[in-house]
Amino acid sequence: MGIHAENLYKHYNIGGQTVRALDGVSLDIADGEYVTIVGASGSGKSTLMNILGCLDSPSAGRYFLDEREVGGLSDGELSEIRSRRIGFIFQSFNLIAGLSALENVELPLLYRRIPKKQRGDIALEALESVGLSDRALHRPSELSGGQQQRVAIARAIAADPQMILADEPCGNLDSKSGAEVLDILNALNKSGKTIVMITHNEDTARKAERLVRISDGRILN
């Protein structure tokens, strides 16, 4: 799943002042590439990720997914892209506390109206791929931080998306758990998925094939 972002701007008006979260960002990511976007807090990296994930739209500029301009798509078409073609991984895991690991992974499949038996089989396979099939019936509170993030990854890949967007996926993890998550992302990339990871951590950033630096809403390299 290839990305072409052309002269993106994102401005917010806060307290009568204009904040330039993105200030003319252009970026190309090839299908199957593994790219890290690295920058300090407030650099614009999360704003950029939200636009790349079709969660937000730019104030100006053009964004294409597989040569299709996103700006001209309806809300329904954008929702379809998010549910079928993009998997999201967040720093805070975003798991539902009252559901088991298996039920959390099933959620995106439920929204796609996949039958219950098939949902369970797909979700269990996704958990197995991240080494957690034996924790399928455990709730998030019964799992370590690293295990919770692996459940979140299983949820992201259950619908077999073409692209994974990971926002600080190791931010709340110890070094060992973080390394395990990065190994999984690397394996997903080798299986053909496009990986875009957002981080402020230089060591984490260097795990990708290509590193893109952002500061004050502008790409530096």
Side-chain angles (χ1 to χ4, degrees), residues 20-187:
R20 298 174 180 269
L22 295 180
D23 197 18
V25 167
S26 295
L27 179 67
D28 286 291
I29 297 175
D31 183 27
E33 196 172 7
Y34 185 176
V35 174
T36 296
I37 299 172
V38 62
S41 177
S43 62
K45 60 186 187 298
S46 292
T47 300
L48 177 58
M49 181 178 174
N50 287 338
I51 291 173
L52 298 183
C54 301
L55 296 168
D56 198 1
S57 56
S59 304
R62 304 171 77 193
Y63 174 43
F64 297 81
L65 277 175
D66 285 342
E67 301 182 356
R68 188 181 185 192
E69 187 166 4
V70 171
L73 302 181
S74 67
D75 289 343
E77 288 171 320
L78 291 172
S79 178
E80 184 81 358
I81 288 173
R82 289 192 298 266
S83 67
R84 292 180 179 268
R85 304 187 68 191
I86 302 174
F88 296 91
I89 303 168
F90 300 98
Q91 178 177 356
S92 57
F93 318 138
N94 288 4
L95 300 178
I96 296 178
L99 299 182
S100 68
L102 186 69
E103 290 166 334
N104 268 285
V105 176
E106 282 188 61
L107 273 180
L109 307 173
L110 177 64
Y111 298 144
R112 289 177 55 180
R113 305 183 191 281
I114 292 174
K116 182 173 177 58
K117 172 66 167 63
Q118 189 179 355
R119 283 201 313 267
D121 291 344
I122 293 171
L124 192 57
E125 184 178 349
L127 282 171
E128 187 172 354
S129 74
V130 297
L132 280 181
S133 57
D134 60 335
R135 296 288 188 271
L137 300 182
H138 289 62
R139 293 187 178 183
S141 61
E142 301 170 312
L143 302 172
S144 69
Q147 289 171 333
Q148 289 184 60
Q149 190 61 294
R150 282 190 278 159
V151 172
I153 293 173
R155 181 185 57 193
I157 64 176
D160 195 26
Q162 296 164 284
M163 178 167 68
I164 302 291
L165 296 182
D167 191 357
E168 299 280 8
C170 307
N172 285 336
L173 305 180
D174 59 50
S175 57
K176 180 177 181 294
S177 298
E180 290 171 348
V181 165
L182 292 174
D183 285 344
I184 292 170
L185 291 177
N186 187 55

